[in-house]
Every structure is written in structure tokens, then in C-alpha cells.
């Protein structure tokens, strides 16, 4: 049965990477409230304690009491074994009555923003960044699509947590901007290739998270650094809760063009 436009996300298997804190954690909380009993959330990150705390919180919540199950995968997504662990758990968790597979590619790192492009001479360093931030999201998405192929009655939604940096260059943010631009294009290609899929590049806005704190403390470019400090000082950062609520609105309405890049300020 289709879950679109009916106020919930269906009986879902929802995989969320980077669920231990920040935007991923808020998204996990929101999704748990919007799926039907019998749904499973697969939460992925390296910090086992934080994932365990979130799992316990959700088990105690109304969703948990209503039968939404949470599985955690403690894994480094920069490594193939990490991806394999996510796949293993997701396949184990899948049941025949699941009618919606949702993958939220949220995990990311900022990379070293304390240096300008001309300082990146070490190929291994760049490869390592791209491995986590680009390769892992393509390979995880492809693996999930293969594990849960198209069939009637099964909806499949793939979300890329994007950024303004996918569209605009930020001085001293070469790794991050490159990774986000590549990810957006990856998901645009996927949307062209797989018309049955729902593909969304969601740009969540400037969020008050650990990644933002890192950005305003170590960014090399003085103007960019100042603009992040100003946003923080002037209370212009958004909470993860408000941004995640906008993502949920997009998913529930389900009217976006597959492959589109949608910014929180346009929702
Ligand atoms: N914050 C912003 O202003 C902002 C703006 C635009 C877009 N975004 C995007 O929004 C998403 C969430 O950002 P955030 O601000 O919530 O970041 P965050 O607070 O730094 O959280 C990042 C998450 O990714 C996980 N992660 C990082 N490296 C990982 C690895 N190697 N393996 C597995 N998990 C890993 C982290 O968990 P562990 O450390 O436990 O592994 C954490 O749960 C990212 O895609 C980011 O690029 C953020």
C-alpha cells in the first residue's frame, strides 16, 4: 500500500547514517514517530554509547511502545566492513510486510577546513575524505537498492543530506564542497536511472551542531570563519529539530521532483 500523502511513512525499514548526534539523531526521533508499528529503524554511527542511549530513548517512547523496533550498527562508514555490517543488519531486520525502504545518507565529516586548496598535496588524505563522504554513500545506496529490489507494493526512498556547499564554493572548504557537490550529482544520476525510486537531496540549513562548532573554530578563511561566528552569536543557527521537521514534511507530502536539491528555506 502506498504511504504517500497519508500522514505516515508506512511500515518502513529506515536506515539512517550518522544517527549518534546532530541532524541524524533528530531525524531518527522524527521518523520513529511517523512510521507504523512493525517498522524498523537501523541507526548507524561509530559512537556505540550514543547510539545505545538513543535506542533506549526510542524504546521508551510512544513509538517504541507501539512496536517500532530500533537496531543499531556501530560502524565506520569509511570502511567496506562498515557498509557490510549495515547491510547485514538491514537484511535481518526486513520483513515481508515492510512497504517502504528509506535510506538517509546523513553521515559526513567536514574535512580539514584549516587549509586552502593549494595545501592538499597528499592524495591519501583526499582519498580518505572522499571514501567516507562520497564513495560510502554511493556504495551503501547501491547495496541497499540491490538488497531490496523494486517490486510492487514496495516504495523506496533515498535521501542525501546535502548542503549549500554542494552549489556554492566556500574558501578553505575544498574537501567538503567537493564531496557535497559530488554527492548531489550522484543522486541526480540515480534519479534519472531509476524512475521508480524517490530521490531527494535535502539541504538542512546552518545547524547548531558539533560540525558547526568545528566550522567556526578552525576555518582558515577569515571571512567565512567570521560569518559562521556571527550566525552563532546572532542566534541564526537552526535547531536540528526544526530542520528535521521540514524534511519530514517533504517526505510526507511526497511531491518533490525525484533528484531535486531542496533547501530548508524553500520548504
Ligand atoms: N551542521 C550544519 O550546519 C550543516 C549544514 C549543512 C549540511 N549539513 C549536513 O548535515 C549532516 C549532519 O551534520 P551534523 O551537523 O549533524 O554533523 P555532526 O554533528 O558532526 O554529526 C555527524 C554524524 O555523522 C557520523 N559520522 C561521522 N563520521 C562517520 C564515520 N566515519 N562512520 C560512521 N558515521 C560517521 C557521526 O557519528 P560518529 O562520530 O559517532 O561516527 C555523527 O552521527 C551532514 O551530512 C552535514 O554535512 C550540516
Amino acid at each position: 500500500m502506498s504511504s504517500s500523502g497519508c500522514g505516515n511513512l508506512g511500515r518502513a525499514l529506515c536506515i539512517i547514517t550518522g544517527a549518534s548526534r546532530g541532524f541524524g539523531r533528530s531525524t531518527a526521533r522524527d521518523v520513529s514517530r511517523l512510521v507504523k508499528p512493525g517498522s524498523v529503524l537501523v541507526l548507524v554511527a561509530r559512537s556505540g554509547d550514543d547510539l545505545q542511549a538513543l535506542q533506549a530513548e526510542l524504546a521508551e517512547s510512544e513509538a517504541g511502545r507501539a512496536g517500532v523496533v530500533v537496531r543499531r550498527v556501530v560502524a565506520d562508514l569509511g570502511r567496506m566492513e562498515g557498509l557490510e555490517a549495515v547491510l547485514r543488519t538491514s537484511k535481518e531486520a526486513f520483513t515481508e510486510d515492510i512497504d517502504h525502504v528509506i535510506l538517509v545518507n546523513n553521515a559526513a565529516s567536514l574535512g580539514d577546513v584549516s587549509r586552502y586548496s593549494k595545501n592538499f598535496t597528499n592524495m591519501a588524505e583526499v582519498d580518505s575524505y572522499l571514501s567516507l563522504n562520497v564513495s560510502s554513500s554511493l556504495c551503501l545506496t547501491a547495496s541497499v537498492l540491490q538488497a531490496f529490489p523494486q517490486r510492487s507494493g514496495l516504495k523506496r526512498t533515498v535521501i542525501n543530506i546535502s548542503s549549500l556547499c554542494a552549489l556554492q564554493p566556500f574558501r578553505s572548504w575544498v574537501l567538503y564542497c567537493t564531496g557535497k557537490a559530488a554527492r548531489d550529482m550522484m543522486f541526480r544520476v540515480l534519479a534519472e536511472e531509476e524512475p521508480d525510486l524517490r530521490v531527494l537531496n535535502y539541504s538542512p540549513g546552518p545547524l547548531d551542531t558539533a560540525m558547526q562548532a568545528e566550522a567556526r573554530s578552525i576555518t582558515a578563511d577569515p571571512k567565512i570563519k567570521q560569518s559562521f561566528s556571527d550566525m552563532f552569536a546572532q542566534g541564526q543557527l537552526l535547531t536540528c529539530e526544526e530542520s528535521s521537521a521540514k524534511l519530514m514534511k517533504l517526505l510526507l507530502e511526497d511531491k518533490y521532483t525525484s533528484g531535486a536539491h531542496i533547501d530548508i528555506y524553500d520548504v
Side-chain angles (χ1 to χ4, degrees):
M1 200 179 70
S2 165
S3 54
S4 72
C6 61
N8 67 70
L9 296 171
R11 194 178 312 272
L13 168 69
C14 179
I15 305 160
I16 303 175
T17 67
S20 60
R21 60 171 188 263
F23 186 73
R25 187 173 55 184
S26 293
T27 301
R29 286 180 177 136
D30 279 347
V31 168
S32 76
R33 289 189 277 260
L34 291 172
V35 291
K36 288 185 179 168
S39 296
V40 186
L41 269 63
V42 175
L43 307 181
V44 189
R46 291 165 303 176
S47 314
D49 290 351
D50 292 340
L51 283 184
Q52 198 168 3
L54 180 59
Q55 185 184 36
E57 176 197 317
L58 296 180
E60 288 298 307
S61 71
E62 207 173 308
R65 289 195 301 272
V68 172
V69 173
V70 175
R71 301 281 308 267
R72 66 193 140 87
V73 182
V74 180
D76 181 348
L77 288 168
R79 302 171 60 86
M80 197 59 210
E81 306 87 88
L83 267 60
E84 286 163 358
V86 179
L87 248 284
R88 222 172 16 249
T89 301
S90 303
K91 283 182 182 166
E92 282 166 16
F94 188 81
T95 54
E96 281 308 312
D97 55 354
I98 292 216
D99 58 23
H100 194 181
V101 172
I102 306 170
L103 170 60
V104 185
N105 286 286
N106 167 74
S109 62
L110 191 56
D112 187 354
V113 292
S114 73
R115 293 181 282 151
Y116 293 97
S117 307
K118 65 183 177 193
N119 301 109
F120 285 88
T121 50
N122 182 344
M123 228 165 115
E125 180 191 4
V126 177
D127 284 349
S128 159
Y129 181 83
L130 295 176
S131 187
L132 169 64
N133 290 281
V134 180
S135 313
S136 85
S137 62
L138 175 56
C139 297
L140 179 63
T141 302
S143 305
V144 167
L145 295 178
Q146 280 186 20
F148 309 110
Q150 178 185 11
R151 67 161 165 78
S152 89
L154 182 67
K155 179 173 175 174
R156 301 183 303 165
T157 303
V158 178
I159 300 148
N160 168 38
I161 302 306
S162 183
S163 165
L164 181 60
C165 296
L167 309 177
Q168 278 182 27
F170 280 58
R171 287 183 300 268
S172 71
W173 283 37
V174 66
L175 293 181
Y176 190 79
C177 292
T178 301
K180 287 298 188 193
R183 269 167 77 137
D184 261 37
M185 183 51 82
M186 233 163 64
F187 286 91
R188 286 175 63 190
V189 171
L190 184 65
E192 291 287 327
E193 291 174 348
E194 308 287 339
D196 74 292
L197 273 187
R198 299 290 290 140
V199 182
L200 174 64
N201 290 301
Y202 175 67
S203 182
L207 307 173
D208 192 5
T209 64
M211 190 180 279
Q212 265 290 330
E214 199 183 343
R216 65 178 173 269
S217 61
I218 60 171
T219 292
D221 188 80
K223 278 193 189 149
I224 304 268
K225 186 177 185 188
Q226 191 60 48
S227 73
F228 281 113
S229 296
D230 290 347
M231 269 196 283
F232 175 66
Q234 293 161 14
Q236 288 166 353
L237 296 180
L238 308 173
T239 64
C240 291
E241 288 75 17
E242 57 191 314
S243 184
S244 175
K246 291 287 171 82
L247 173 59
M248 296 304 122
K249 182 170 184 279
L250 284 168
L251 295 181
L252 288 172
E253 290 176 354
D254 201 27
K255 288 188 184 135
Y256 58 87
T257 303
S258 192
H261 173 107
I262 301 186
D263 192 279
I264 181 174
Y265 295 114
D266 298 327
V267 182

